[in-house]
């Protein structure tokens, strides 16, 4: 094959993927953008009225902020528990590592709806968690966890934890163990070795896990709705209410576009942080 023919062959192979990408991703986004630019629910005229309505209403802005903050909280919880789990997996023997990885990915094999309903039973006032706390004498009366933000964060963290552990596990596995041995030989203790060697080298996996978990948490309509209830309104439920309840598809489209852009901005910032950390490490 001549060098000039290789680009043409590569383009031919990539053409079906490009067609699917345009048909099922780009085109729906353009349709959504077009719908959001209509000034009224009847979609007769074009204007930026829906975006003006969103940004001039503090209620809409508070929902956006609450949703993004929810994603940050759930991501931090996943990182807090996911990093030690990934670190233990890398230090375990091959047999135990396989068992631990299976336990980590096991929740993915179960439907999100089934897991969420099981958490409703666990978090209820007469649920398993309250019964355990009462039996241990840690509380005098049942704690309200269901239909609270704390409950939503707990469930989101459990549901999305594999998305944090797997990227971290892949990154930690690639770190040369001789680096830790060299650090110990130079007199550094375990904590100093971790903060100066292991953690900086695991930043790419940490950033990747945070991006995956954050994007999944802020868009988790089923978990947010079932655990949070109607009192806690986040962006996915807000979009659903405007589209189906109020039948205001242009405003629902505008909310979707704003929400998507806000999430993309945060993902871009995380990517930039990851790029800067890699440049600092390898520069």
């Amino acid at each position: 094959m001549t060098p000039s023919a290789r680009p043409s062959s590569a383009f031919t192979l990539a053409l079906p993927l490009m067609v699917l990408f345009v048909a099922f991703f780009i085109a729906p986004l353009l349709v959504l953008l077009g719908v959001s630019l209509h000034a009224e629910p009847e979609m007769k005229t074009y204007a930026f009225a829906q975006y003006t309505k969103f940004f001039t209403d503090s209620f809409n802005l508070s929902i956006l902020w609450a949703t993004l903050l929810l994603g940050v909280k759930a991501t931090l919880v996943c990182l807090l528990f996911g990093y030690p789990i990934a670190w233990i997996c890398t230090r375990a023997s091959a047999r135990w590592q396989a068992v631990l990885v299976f336990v980590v990915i096991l929740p993915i094999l179960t439907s999100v709806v089934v897991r969420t309903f099981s958490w409703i039973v666990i978090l209820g006032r007469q649920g398993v968690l309250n019964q355990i706390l009462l039996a241990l004498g840690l509380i005098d009366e049942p704690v309200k966890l269901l239909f609270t933000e704390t409950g939503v964060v707990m469930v989101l963290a459990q549901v999305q934890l594999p998305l944090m552990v797997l990227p971290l596990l892949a990154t930690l596995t690639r770190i040369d163990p001789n680096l830790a041995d060299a650090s110990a030989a130079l007199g550094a203790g375990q904590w100093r070795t971790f903060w100066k060697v292991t953690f900086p080298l695991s930043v790419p996996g940490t950033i990747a896990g945070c991006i995956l978990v954050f994007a999944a948490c802020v868009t988790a309509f089923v978990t947010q709705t079932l655990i949070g209830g109607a009192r806690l309104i986040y962006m996915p439920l807000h979009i659903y209410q405007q589209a189906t309840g109020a039948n205001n598809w242009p405003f629902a489209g505008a909310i979707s576009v704003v929400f998507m852009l806000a999430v993309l901005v945060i993902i871009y910032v995380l990517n930039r942080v990851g790029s800067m950390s890699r440049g600092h490490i390898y520069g």
Side-chain angles (χ1 to χ4, degrees):
M1 180 182 294
T2 62
S4 60
R6 290 174 185 170
S8 177
S9 177
F11 177 78
T12 303
L13 292 174
L15 186 59
L17 180 60
M18 293 173 58
V19 172
L20 288 175
F21 182 76
V22 171
F24 294 102
F25 185 75
I26 300 297
L29 283 180
L30 293 177
V31 172
L32 178 66
L33 181 62
V35 170
S36 70
L37 291 175
H38 285 91
E40 62 283 313
E42 293 77 15
M43 294 189 289
K44 296 180 179 179
T45 59
Y46 287 93
F48 290 97
Q50 306 300 337
Y51 292 95
T52 303
K53 177 182 177 181
F54 180 89
F55 286 108
T56 55
D57 190 343
S58 60
F59 176 72
N60 296 316
L61 295 176
S62 66
I63 294 176
L64 175 61
W65 170 250
T67 306
L68 298 178
L69 188 60
L70 175 72
V72 172
K73 291 178 180 179
T75 301
L76 291 177
V77 174
C78 283
L79 182 60
L80 179 64
F81 288 95
Y83 201 105
I85 293 174
W87 188 85
I88 292 172
C89 286
T90 58
R91 298 305 190 271
S93 63
R95 177 182 298 178
W96 280 107
Q97 187 178 85
V99 173
L100 290 172
V101 171
F102 175 75
V103 171
V104 168
I105 66 175
L106 186 61
I108 302 179
L109 305 179
T110 308
S111 170
V112 176
V113 177
V114 174
R115 279 181 287 169
T116 304
F117 273 110
S118 67
W119 271 102
I120 293 177
V121 176
I122 294 172
L123 297 178
R125 293 186 65 86
Q126 302 300 323
V128 177
L129 185 56
N130 271 313
Q131 293 300 319
I132 293 175
L133 294 176
L134 287 170
L136 295 175
L138 298 177
I139 57 175
D140 297 325
E141 59 182 13
V143 179
K144 185 179 180 180
L145 295 172
L146 195 61
F147 307 136
T148 63
E149 187 180 62
T150 301
V152 176
V153 171
M154 290 174 58
V155 178
L156 286 174
Q158 187 274 331
V159 171
Q160 309 301 341
L161 186 62
L163 298 181
M164 178 65 73
V165 174
L166 295 179
L168 280 170
L169 182 60
T171 303
L172 291 171
T173 304
R174 291 198 299 267
I175 298 177
D176 190 350
N178 293 324
L179 295 175
D181 295 337
S183 177
L186 293 173
Q190 292 185 354
W191 279 107
R192 187 174 180 83
T193 298
F194 173 78
W195 287 112
K196 296 295 184 180
V197 178
T198 305
F199 182 74
L201 292 176
S202 66
V203 168
T206 304
I207 297 297
C210 289
I211 290 174
L212 292 174
V213 171
F214 178 80
C217 287
V218 296
T219 57
F221 172 75
V222 173
T223 303
Q224 293 174 6
T225 305
L226 292 180
I227 303 298
R231 190 177 66 85
L232 296 178
I233 301 178
Y234 299 105
M235 290 296 281
L237 178 59
H238 192 34
I239 295 170
Y240 175 81
Q241 289 176 339
Q242 294 299 321
T244 60
N247 201 27
N248 192 347
W249 288 93
F251 188 50
I255 298 174
S256 302
V257 172
V258 172
F259 184 40
M260 179 183 64
L261 292 177
V263 173
L264 289 177
V265 167
I266 294 178
I267 291 175
Y268 173 77
V269 171
L270 289 173
N271 271 321
R272 291 296 300 170
V273 171
S275 300
M276 292 172 61
S277 63
R278 285 193 294 269
H280 176 73
I281 295 171
Y282 299 108

